Amino acid sequence: TEEGIEEDELVATIPWDLIVKPNNYDYHGYISPNCDALHEMYHQFQLGDKSKYAPYINYLINQPAGRIPSEWSKHGKELLSKIMKDLPPYNDALHRYERDWIGQCHGEDTPLARQSYFQLTSRDEDGLMVPFYDMHNHSNDPKRLNTVPHKPKKEGRPFTMRAIRDIAPGEQIIISYNRCHPCWFDTKYDDCETRSHGGTDFLFSQFGFVEDHPQFWYIPQYNEEDGSLFDEIRFCLDKDDETGQFFVTRFGDNYSDEEEEIPFDENVEFLKGELDRLLQLEYDLKNDGELIKSMPSYEWDMTWTYQKALVKALKTAIETVEEIFSSGDRNMRRSSEDDDVSSSDDESRDPAHDREDDYDDLEDDS
């Protein structure tokens, strides 16, 4: 608008009748997968021009496919699986359609069903398909994010969007696809009875892009002997726009009662091993001409964009912990087996770390 929009002002109201929704809508009862919502969406796709939501449905039907990792080709999924290994998102995320729609919702497997599934799961707001709202871009950057949604608490009520700060004339409306993520910064917003708690890996697996900063990373560490969960490493990653430097704003998350969750020495060694593995994979595979030709260019590019984001996140987390250790702060989370301060000069590190500096010269894509 020419005047701009003031904080707390209503940005948009989408009437209930324009929203594609499951037959039994429950504000508090969201489940995943929402089979009722998926079946309703497929039904509307089948109706096409006869759907009462025809303009919106036809718009969705004409959207390009292949952007979500679980839509990718066989070779694209294999490359991403090789890079992920035990890091998020997990192999299970590459087979969501088969797991959710076919396995749990007992849907039929047709091209149209596949299309409706991915349109809903990459656009819905807790099972609601909300036209106009779902066309906005995502960011959790406080300087960019300016709007939050409020879904209807009862059937028949509208879906609304409100400004969380003053929005300047001509400024793009930006929403958050995971506004209640564990690094959420706005304590005034308490409408978090949704599934929007996922981190950066969730956004990549669900929507097919690597978000800008801030990012939240959840890294599980498994026991090598029996595969059981050994520990969880969680941290919030941000970037200084002026210097381009990445930094960890905190270990743990904003929902935790603990002030800080500094990783164990064992966690750091695990992160170093995963960083070495990711760098070695890049060295081995990045110039493989046959592998490049085996998949669409978009899948190849997005796989390495995500790999680069993982490398930057792990590298920054390791450096942050080592800086804390070297500062002599003993009020930190430490290993019970070894009270020695971790050293960043460990000569036993794999030569793959000699390539870390190459990343400092790369343009950041995230």
Side-chain angles (χ1 to χ4, degrees):
T1 67
E2 294 182 358
E3 298 80 17
I5 302 173
E6 294 183 357
E7 182 179 353
D8 292 329
E9 188 176 337
L10 195 64
V11 174
T13 300
I14 296 89
W16 176 257
D17 289 343
L18 298 183
I19 300 172
V20 184
K21 56 271 185 187
N23 291 327
N24 299 307
Y25 172 71
D26 182 359
Y27 175 85
H28 299 282
Y30 182 81
I31 57 173
S32 181
N34 189 326
C35 293
D36 287 342
L38 287 167
H39 279 286
E40 176 61 22
M41 189 65 173
Y42 182 39
H43 175 62
Q44 297 301 327
F45 265 51
Q46 290 175 308
L47 290 175
D49 290 334
K50 297 180 180 179
S51 168
K52 62 180 179 179
Y53 313 104
Y56 180 47
I57 294 298
N58 288 331
Y59 164 80
L60 296 175
I61 288 175
N62 286 297
Q63 293 305 298
R67 298 293 176 177
I68 314 302
S70 48
E71 287 185 279
W72 287 5
S73 67
K74 174 185 175 182
H75 293 295
K77 288 182 179 180
E78 288 176 351
L79 174 62
L80 185 57
S81 294
K82 186 175 293 186
I83 286 174
M84 294 185 309
K85 195 180 176 182
D86 291 331
L87 295 176
Y90 312 102
N91 286 324
D92 187 48
L94 299 181
H95 306 284
R96 291 191 292 114
Y97 171 77
E98 292 80 6
R99 179 197 66 199
D100 296 347
W101 175 246
I102 304 298
Q104 296 191 46
C105 298
H106 308 292
E108 60 179 354
D109 185 13
T110 68
L112 194 64
R114 180 179 293 268
Q115 192 176 12
S116 69
Y117 171 84
F118 284 111
Q119 284 299 310
L120 184 138
T121 57
S122 65
R123 289 174 172 270
D124 76 308
E125 184 69 15
D126 296 351
L128 301 178
M129 289 294 288
V130 187
F132 177 73
Y133 166 75
D134 69 352
M135 299 176 187
H136 291 89
N137 289 328
H138 159 88
S139 179
N140 284 314
D141 183 346
K143 294 184 292 295
R144 298 187 62 208
L145 179 61
N146 51 31
T147 309
V148 293
H150 297 275
K151 63 180 183 178
K153 292 192 174 181
K154 293 183 178 180
E155 291 189 12
R157 294 184 178 179
F159 185 101
T160 60
M161 300 167 61
R162 289 189 177 273
I164 59 173
R165 59 171 174 80
D166 290 347
I167 304 174
E171 184 179 351
Q172 182 181 3
I173 298 298
I174 298 291
I175 64 175
S176 172
Y177 297 175
N178 62 335
R179 64 193 173 281
C180 297
H181 65 94
C183 298
W184 179 252
F185 61 89
D186 189 352
T187 56
K188 294 184 299 181
Y189 183 75
D190 59 3
D191 186 16
C192 284
E193 295 189 58
T194 76
R195 63 186 176 92
S196 303
H197 292 72
T200 301
D201 64 285
F202 168 79
L203 293 181
F204 177 67
S205 66
Q206 196 81 2
F207 304 104
F209 67 87
V210 177
E211 68 173 333
D212 60 1
H213 295 84
Q215 298 175 344
F216 173 74
W217 291 93
Y218 164 81
I219 309 292
Q221 181 176 352
Y222 295 99
N223 190 309
E224 294 183 0
E225 295 182 0
D226 60 11
S228 61
L229 183 66
F230 172 73
D231 204 356
E232 300 173 345
I233 308 163
R234 301 175 297 165
F235 58 95
C236 304
L237 184 71
D238 212 336
K239 179 182 178 181
D240 188 310
D241 292 335
E242 294 185 2
T243 66
Q245 295 295 311
F246 295 86
F247 59 95
V248 173
T249 56
R250 70 164 294 164
F251 287 99
D253 63 62
N254 291 342
Y255 292 106
S256 173
D257 293 331
E258 293 191 41
E259 194 168 302
E260 191 87 2
E261 298 177 10
I262 307 299
F264 288 118
D265 288 344
E266 291 92 334
N267 299 144
V268 176
E269 290 307 309
F270 165 72
L271 294 178
K272 289 178 178 179
E274 286 300 299
L275 178 58
D276 289 343
R277 183 183 65 82
L278 290 170
L279 292 169
Q280 189 65 51
L281 279 172
E282 185 204 16
Y283 181 81
D284 293 341
L285 301 177
K286 196 81 177 279
N287 297 313
D288 187 331
E290 291 302 314
L291 186 59
I292 293 173
K293 292 188 294 185
S294 70
M295 67 190 72
S297 60
Y298 178 83
E299 297 177 10
W300 176 264
D301 292 340
M302 284 309 303
T303 296
W304 293 111
T305 296
Y306 185 70
Q307 182 262 3
K308 182 179 177 181
L310 272 172
V311 164
K312 183 57 68 176
L314 298 185
K315 184 172 183 285
T316 305
I318 292 167
E319 291 174 348
T320 302
V321 175
E322 290 181 338
E323 288 174 6
I324 294 173
F325 285 179
S326 65
S327 72
D329 183 358
R330 294 294 173 176
N331 296 318
M332 62 180 72
R333 184 179 169 193
R334 294 303 313 278
S335 165
S336 59
E337 299 179 359
D338 182 6
D339 195 43
D340 292 333
V341 174
S342 295
S343 171
S344 59
D345 299 323
D346 184 358
E347 296 180 357
S348 66
R349 296 288 300 281
D350 189 281
H353 275 277
D354 294 338
R355 298 192 296 280
E356 285 185 40
D357 291 338
D358 295 340
Y359 277 84
D360 297 332
D361 300 325
L362 293 175
E363 180 181 355
D364 177 56
D365 296 326
S366 57

